[in-house]
Amino acid sequence: MAKILVLFAHPALEKSRVHSRMLYHIRKLKDLTINDLYEEYPDFDVDVEREQRLLLQHDVIIWQHPFYWYSAPALLKQWIDLVLEHGWAYGATGNALRGKKIFNALSLGGSKYAYDQTGLNRIPIRQYLAPFEQTARLCKMQYLAPYIIDGTHKLTNETIEVLAHQYAGLIKRIQENLLTSVPIENVLYLNDLLGDVQTHQTL
Amino acid sequence: MNQQQFFIQAVIYLAAAVICVPLAKKVGLGSVLGYLLAGVIIGPAVLGIAGHGGEDLMHYAEFGVVMMLFVIGLELEPALLWRLRVAILGLGGLQMVITTALIMTACIFFGFSLKTSLAIGLILSLSSTAIVLQSFTEKGLMKAEAGQSAFSVLLFQDIAVIPILAIFPLLAVFPIVADPETHSGTLTADQPGWVQALIVLASVVAIIIGGRYIVRYFFRLLAKTGQREIFTAGALLLVVAVTVLMMKVGLSPALGTFLAGVVLADSEYRHELESDIEPFKGLLLGLFFVAVGVSIDFTIVQQTPLLIFSLVGTLMLLKGGVLFLLGKIFRLKHDQNLLFAFGLSQVGEFAFVLLSSSVKGGVLPKGEVDIITVVVAISMVFTPILLLINEKFFQPATGTRQAADKVMDTVDERNPVIIAGFGRFGNIVGRFLKANGVDSTVLEIDSDRVDLLRRFGYKVYYGDATRYDLLHSAGAADARLLIVAIGDPEKALELVDTAKKHFPNLRLLVRAYDRPDTFKFMDAGMLHIYRETIDTSLRMGIDALQLLGRRKYQAHRAARLFLRHDEKALKQLSAVRDDSKAYITTAREFIDELEQMIKSDINEGKKFQNDFGWDEASMIKEVNENGHGKQPS
């Protein structure tokens, strides 16, 4: 079974309804490590050795975070800057991460409908995530599509519970390699591969 | 005394102490009173098995006082002495002058001559260093205002003994009692004044210079032999040698050893010396108290009980009254002032020395001296009792709690955090928690601080946090965290042990003084250990790098890395530290450790160049070699 590493970045988890439930549900899964970056490195003092060791021990990496200013919270960027070293993660001799799978799992306060050409944010979410995707590619990893929980400001606790549970189910299927039957490259969002849980909000 | 007799006497004294002291402590009377009672019981008054009086013994036992002053000196930094200068000269000086004057006036009133009255006044103005310091230390009051003031006064008196001894011959009005022993006397006795002064000065300088330079070298040699007992012998030799020197030049041995102690206070052998001398000091001091008990001549008491007890009462009232008024003038808080006045109201052990020399020197008549001796001894016995009365009846009324058992019923809240020690370390933790809405119960041994904090609305309880009952009444059974912020490493370790044993529910966060201290906490299984200075030192290091032109963020990163490395090294050192073959002193241990630390810094040197993620060198190299530009930018 594939080993999952969740790189979780949230500076104010105590105020989050969505991520706390997501963590609650995935915590029950086997072969899954949650690396709570803001808890681990409150002063941005990322331990590169430890992080690289963790990466090597896992097959699938998830950047789980809220969507801040069209990107991730600052510590996740710090993590990328420091951990993905030249000669280790990328470059002629940097092959440590080759073949691993990686994707973003993020929450948005607003609705995804704001992310189209006529919307307030003009550009699709997937395009905003291009730097992450390219980072993964440069490190010779396979970037899967992002998983998104949107409109969190308006979600009821019951819906959050359902979505968080769905997230855990998604990870479990990835772990068991059940997603390969679908042409994953053709999917823009991992949500598209899931059942009709989110029928009320299609992408 | 032949050998067999000596051993029989030893058995009697030791047995009396071993039986009475634990009993006295058990019923809350303190060890001093236990010893004194032991003396009374084996003395002529009750069993009469103590041999020929306590006086012979007293001479040896007085050496305990000398040792005590040495240990006090060791614990005293010159800085503290300087800080107490006003109290020592002002409080101490005024106490002696006023008390002497009052007693003298009373004696003149009762028909004694001027000279005799002055002698009696001087003798009775002294208080007992041994009893006061022992009692106060036992109650943990030495750091409190009362303790510091008492110490200052006692120190002044100890110094004052020298000029008193010097002027006593001038006060002689009675025929000198021939005594061959005392005339073996001092080196200075037959010299003119300026030579005497020069010799005295020279010996003080000799102690200071000897202590600074020669003694350290001497102890280093001893330490290298690896024989623990030789080090102990050396420590004893030092104290005895200073005593002999002082007696030869006519100074007080107590003062000399005190000075030697102060000189050695900042030496690396301080703790070794202290722990070596401590048991001797304790035993001799105990012996001294027993001897005081034995020496009380109850036939005199029986003959003139009214006279004796009214003398004791008047004397202690007068001394205590003067002290209380001075305490008011020097702005001691009410509860501290009571403690101070009650504590020092007896007459001290130097009185015995002065009394016996004054008989021999013809200063005082034998009959009066006998009565005064009894009065002095009884006043000593009364001191622990007075302190007890003060604690039970006066202190509760003043507000500050002096004993933990009174706290018990008043700790009425259950906070998640208990902070032991609210000094310069604990107070920051406590304030920070309070600022974030977390209330803590504070245990503090300094009653002044307790007062202050209470005024600001903190829930603070006076007492020794290492005591199970205090911890229990502070709610340790229900609290979640115990923050050990006590400054005294040994006390802190004691607290950790107690907490681990009785309150397994508590998570402990401990303040560590230095590395050895940290190791001890590691051994005790502590997970959250905070070295007092490491964070501040590194912050200073960061600023130093910045002022030298480095970017602040890089300096900050470097400090974080250094800290991580240092903590790793600490764990490794902790594992190997017991391997050191030789008996090495604390200072050498520190040097050794520092050496290992620096070596490890050098070995790991390459890692100090951190954050390769922000370093472009390898990318530039690759681009220049391959030229196909696969770097991200």
Side-chain angles (χ1 to χ4, degrees):
Chain A
M1 219 160 64
K3 289 198 173 67
I4 311 277
L5 175 64
V6 178
L7 296 170
F8 175 64
H10 200 313
L13 178 60
E14 55 272 52
K15 291 178 186 160
S16 156
R17 289 192 302 149
V18 178
H19 284 279
S20 56
R21 296 316 294 167
M22 288 166 87
L23 290 182
Y24 173 80
H25 284 285
I26 64 173
R27 203 161 264 146
K28 298 172 189 162
L29 298 174
K30 285 196 193 94
D31 290 318
L32 179 135
T33 309
I34 295 172
N35 188 15
D36 187 345
L37 295 178
Y38 274 93
E39 190 72 4
E40 205 69 50
Y41 308 117
D43 40 16
F44 279 50
D45 178 26
V46 176
D47 183 345
V48 175
E49 263 178 74
R50 172 181 181 269
E51 293 303 313
Q52 292 185 345
R53 200 168 56 239
L54 275 175
L55 286 171
L56 292 178
Q57 287 164 357
H58 295 82
D59 310 304
V60 180
I61 291 104
I62 305 174
W63 284 314
Q64 183 186 328
H65 56 91
F67 204 43
Y68 285 176
W69 285 104
Y70 312 108
S71 185
L75 180 54
L76 188 55
K77 181 62 166 64
Q78 174 96 332
W79 181 94
I80 290 171
D81 287 354
L82 289 174
V83 178
L84 303 179
E85 285 176 337
H86 179 251
W88 184 79
Y90 70 100
T93 57
N95 298 311
L97 304 174
R98 182 185 285 277
K100 292 184 191 296
K101 295 188 174 85
I102 189 162
F103 67 96
N104 298 68
L106 50 103
S107 62
L108 329 170
S111 158
K112 61 183 169 276
Y113 297 117
Y115 291 85
D116 61 29
Q117 280 164 354
T118 58
L120 186 65
N121 296 313
R122 294 191 303 110
I123 300 169
I125 297 161
R126 178 77 192 240
Q127 277 188 35
Y128 282 116
L129 294 175
F132 292 96
E133 184 167 353
Q134 181 52 29
T135 299
R137 280 177 191 278
L138 194 72
C139 295
K140 296 145 194 166
M141 290 191 278
Q142 184 191 358
Y143 186 78
L144 306 183
Y147 172 78
I148 289 158
I149 296 181
D150 73 317
T152 57
H153 294 331
K154 290 180 179 170
L155 290 183
T156 63
N157 285 345
E158 289 72 32
T159 317
I160 288 174
E161 203 60 29
V162 172
L163 293 172
H165 188 260
Q166 183 198 50
Y167 173 57
L170 170 75
I171 292 176
K172 202 158 182 234
R173 284 167 71 185
I174 292 171
Q175 259 186 334
E176 288 161 2
N177 232 356
L178 293 177
L179 288 182
T180 47
S181 55
V182 194
I184 203 162
E185 291 80 10
N186 300 339
V187 183
L188 276 178
Y189 300 95
L190 284 177
N191 307 55
D192 299 348
L193 300 172
L194 301 166
D196 52 2
V197 184
Q198 290 208 4
T199 43
H200 62 288
Q201 42 182 12
T202 48
L203 286 155
Chain B
M1 224 193 283
N2 67 35
Q3 208 181 357
Q4 203 187 359
Q5 250 184 325
F6 170 77
F7 281 119
I8 292 170
Q9 286 295 304
V11 167
I12 291 170
Y13 274 88
L14 290 174
V18 166
I19 293 168
C20 291
V21 173
L23 274 178
K25 287 216 88 167
K26 187 99 190 159
V27 295
L29 296 179
S31 67
V32 176
L33 201 54
Y35 282 119
L36 289 167
L37 288 178
V40 172
I41 289 170
I42 61 173
V46 184
L47 296 176
I49 50 171
H52 37 80
E55 251 178 69
D56 271 4
L57 193 67
M58 196 103 91
H59 287 304
Y60 294 102
E62 268 160 14
F63 193 53
V65 181
V66 172
M67 284 183 156
M68 182 171 69
L69 274 152
F70 179 65
V71 173
I72 291 169
L74 275 179
E75 288 169 353
L76 202 72
E77 291 123 48
L80 177 69
L81 215 55
W82 182 243
R83 215 181 59 209
L84 290 177
R85 66 191 187 280
V86 175
I88 295 172
L89 294 177
L91 203 53
L94 283 174
Q95 183 271 336
M96 275 211 73
V97 171
I98 297 174
T99 312
T100 305
L102 286 176
I103 295 172
M104 203 174 123
T105 316
C107 288
I108 292 171
F109 181 77
F110 282 108
F112 287 96
S113 75
L114 192 73
K115 282 180 175 179
T116 312
S117 301
L118 177 60
I120 294 175
L122 284 170
I123 290 172
L124 296 184
S125 69
L126 301 171
S127 304
S128 170
T129 310
I131 286 182
V132 177
L133 292 194
Q134 179 80 7
S135 303
F136 276 25
T137 310
E138 220 168 270
K139 291 175 194 290
L141 294 171
M142 278 318 286
K143 292 265 158 68
E145 217 179 331
Q148 302 261 305
S149 306
F151 175 78
S152 306
V153 170
L154 291 167
L155 193 63
F156 182 87
Q157 293 177 351
D158 288 345
I159 297 170
V161 169
I162 306 157
I164 294 178
L165 278 171
I167 61 164
F168 254 39
L170 307 176
L171 301 176
V173 284
F174 301 94
I176 292 169
V177 180
D179 184 347
E181 264 183 59
T182 48
H183 283 275
S184 61
T186 65
L187 280 174
T188 53
D190 307 322
Q191 306 288 343
W194 65 273
V195 179
Q196 280 190 26
L198 216 61
I199 290 175
V200 166
L201 199 69
S203 43
V204 169
V205 170
I207 288 178
I208 293 173
I209 291 179
R212 280 243 167 248
Y213 303 103
I214 303 167
V215 172
R216 275 178 205 200
Y217 179 72
F218 169 68
F219 279 121
R220 195 166 302 148
L221 280 181
L222 292 185
K224 272 195 188 146
T225 63
Q227 299 289 107
R228 179 91 201 165
E229 69 278 5
I230 278 300
F231 198 92
T232 308
L236 275 177
L237 176 63
L238 174 74
V239 176
V240 178
V242 171
T243 304
V244 171
L245 174 70
M246 288 292 104
M247 291 192 329
K248 280 288 168 202
V249 300
L251 287 180
S252 137
L255 191 73
T257 50
F258 173 75
L259 189 63
V262 173
V263 171
L264 287 169
D266 63 344
S267 90
E268 59 269 43
Y269 300 102
R270 172 182 156 189
H271 294 294
E272 263 83 6
L273 286 172
E274 217 177 306
S275 57
D276 280 348
I277 294 294
E278 190 73 42
F280 294 101
K281 175 209 103 179
L283 260 180
L284 282 174
L285 217 53
L287 199 60
F288 170 77
F289 295 135
V290 176
V292 170
V294 170
S295 69
I296 297 177
D297 190 346
F298 278 89
T299 50
I300 295 183
V301 182
Q302 268 169 3
Q303 282 159 12
T304 52
L306 205 66
L307 173 71
I308 297 287
F309 282 104
S310 55
L311 275 178
V312 171
T314 319
L315 187 63
M316 293 185 83
L317 206 64
L318 188 137
K319 291 195 73 170
V322 170
L323 287 162
F324 189 79
L325 281 177
L326 284 174
K328 273 253 176 283
I329 293 167
F330 279 78
R331 295 195 185 148
L332 285 178
K333 283 197 210 68
H334 189 60
D335 64 307
Q336 297 292 317
N337 197 10
L338 277 175
L339 203 63
F340 172 67
F342 277 119
L344 291 174
S345 60
Q346 77 296 99
V347 183
E349 56 277 353
F350 282 115
F352 295 129
V353 183
L354 292 173
L355 284 169
S356 69
S357 80
S358 62
V359 174
K360 287 162 196 155
V363 179
L364 295 172
K366 176 93 170 66
E368 271 73 15
V369 164
D370 285 345
I371 290 176
I372 295 174
T373 307
V374 174
V375 169
V376 169
I378 292 177
S379 79
M380 284 176 159
V381 177
F382 276 2
T383 306
I385 301 172
L386 269 182
L387 284 174
L388 214 64
I389 291 171
N390 175 45
E391 195 176 286
K392 288 267 183 273
F393 298 104
F394 288 99
Q395 295 297 351
T398 64
T400 307
R401 323 255 156 205
Q402 295 296 339
D405 47 66
K406 293 193 199 70
V407 170
M408 282 206 198
D409 46 5
T410 61
V411 181
D412 49 1
E413 56 180 337
R414 290 287 174 263
N415 288 325
V417 181
I418 298 173
I419 300 178
F422 212 68
R424 59 193 178 90
F425 196 100
N427 90 70
I428 298 174
V429 183
R431 278 164 46 215
F432 175 71
L433 291 181
K434 199 181 174 101
N436 284 280
V438 176
D439 285 325
S440 20
T441 302
V442 177
L443 306 177
E444 172 59 54
I445 198 149
D446 181 340
S447 61
D448 294 343
R449 222 175 263 156
V450 172
D451 258 5
L452 177 81
L453 290 169
R454 280 198 177 162
R455 259 186 278 134
F456 284 103
Y458 278 85
K459 286 279 179 184
V460 189
Y461 299 97
Y462 172 85
D464 182 351
T466 60
R467 284 179 52 172
Y468 163 78
D469 48 357
L470 184 63
L471 274 176
H472 185 79
S473 57
D478 304 312
R480 291 171 62 194
L481 301 181
L482 171 63
I483 289 170
V484 182
I486 303 174
D488 179 345
E490 270 164 39
K491 276 276 175 202
L493 208 60
E494 214 177 296
L495 172 56
V496 165
D497 283 342
T498 314
K500 270 196 339 190
K501 197 155 86 193
H502 299 289
F503 305 104
N505 57 305
L506 286 176
R507 299 182 80 171
L508 271 63
L509 291 91
V510 299
R511 158 196 184 178
Y513 175 70
D514 55 9
R515 276 169 182 281
D517 201 24
T518 310
F519 291 145
K520 280 180 203 148
F521 285 127
M522 285 165 117
D523 286 349
M526 292 296 99
L527 296 175
H528 306 282
I529 303 169
Y530 302 87
R531 283 179 284 157
E532 273 181 13
T533 52
I534 185 92
D535 293 276
T536 318
S537 320
L538 280 176
R539 265 179 44 214
M540 191 193 235
I542 292 171
D543 287 352
L545 282 180
Q546 192 208 4
L547 290 174
L548 290 171
R550 303 279 183 95
R551 296 275 299 164
K552 186 115 182 186
Y553 189 65
Q554 281 306 318
H556 172 80
R557 302 276 309 163
R560 297 295 309 180
L561 185 75
F562 185 91
L563 181 64
R564 225 164 40 220
H565 159 73
D566 189 73
E567 275 170 356
K568 208 171 84 191
L570 195 70
K571 282 187 187 125
Q572 286 164 354
L573 279 178
S574 166
V576 298
R577 83 197 132 105
D578 290 329
D579 282 353
S580 51
K581 288 181 199 96
Y583 159 78
I584 41 175
T585 60
T586 322
R588 297 210 30 147
E589 235 168 63
F590 178 74
I591 299 288
D592 274 14
E593 250 174 45
L594 197 64
E595 192 185 326
Q596 287 191 48
M597 292 290 305
I598 293 167
K599 271 185 192 159
S600 126
D601 288 351
I602 294 166
N603 289 342
E604 300 235 327
K606 55 180 185 299
K607 287 193 191 151
F608 277 94
Q609 248 215 317
N610 61 348
D611 299 338
F612 288 105
W614 289 321
D615 183 10
E616 296 184 327
S618 70
M619 268 188 285
I620 292 165
K621 191 163 164 257
E622 190 177 310
V623 174
N624 289 340
E625 278 166 9
N626 308 334
H628 52 62
K630 225 181 163 184
Q631 74 275 30
S633 48

